Amino acid sequence: MVNHLVHVGHLFVRIAGISGALAVGLGAYGAHGLKNRTDKEREVFMTANRYHMLHTLALMAVPLTNHPNMVGVTMLIGMLGFCGTCYYSALSGDTSLNRFTPYGGVTLMIAWALMAL
C-alpha cells in the first residue's frame, strides 16, 4: 500500500528535493546578499522564502493524499504564484506582478484543502 502511494506521487517528492535545495540557497542569499535592499524588500523576500520552505515540506506529503496529482500541481502553481511574485518583487523592486500574489495564496489554500479530500 505505502509503495503504491509513494510511486503515484514520487515526482512531487523529487520536485520537493529540488525546491528544498533552492529554498535553502535563496534563504542564504536573503540572509547575506540583500544588504542593499530596503527593509520592506528584505521582509517580502524572507516571507517568500518561509512559505517556499513550508510548502516544499508539504510537497513531501503529496503522495499520501487521495489525489496526489491534483494536490501536487495545485500546490506548485500556488508556490509559483505566491513565492515567485514575492521573490521577483523583492529582488527587482518591480511591484507590477504583486497583483497576482493573492491568487497564489488562495491557490495554496486550495491545495491544503484538497489534501483533506
Side-chain angles (χ1 to χ4, degrees), residues 9-95:
H10 76 281
L11 176 63
F12 295 106
V13 174
R14 291 176 185 266
I15 292 170
I18 294 166
S19 180
L22 185 61
V24 170
L26 286 167
Y29 179 74
H32 303 289
L34 295 179
K35 305 250 187 268
N36 61 346
R37 298 289 178 185
T38 67
D39 287 343
K40 179 67 174 172
E41 287 170 333
R42 282 194 299 274
E43 179 184 343
V44 168
F45 186 93
M46 295 315 284
T47 297
N49 191 249
R50 187 172 48 254
Y51 276 77
H52 182 178
M53 183 57 82
L54 173 69
H55 289 90
T56 293
L57 295 173
L59 278 175
M60 300 284 290
V62 164
L64 304 175
T65 66
N66 289 326
H67 307 285
N69 291 329
M70 184 173 21
V71 172
V73 168
T74 304
M75 190 159 292
L76 287 171
I77 291 169
M79 289 171 70
L80 182 61
F82 183 81
C83 302
T85 56
C86 289
Y87 281 137
Y88 176 77
S89 172
L91 292 172
S92 70
D94 178 7
T95 60

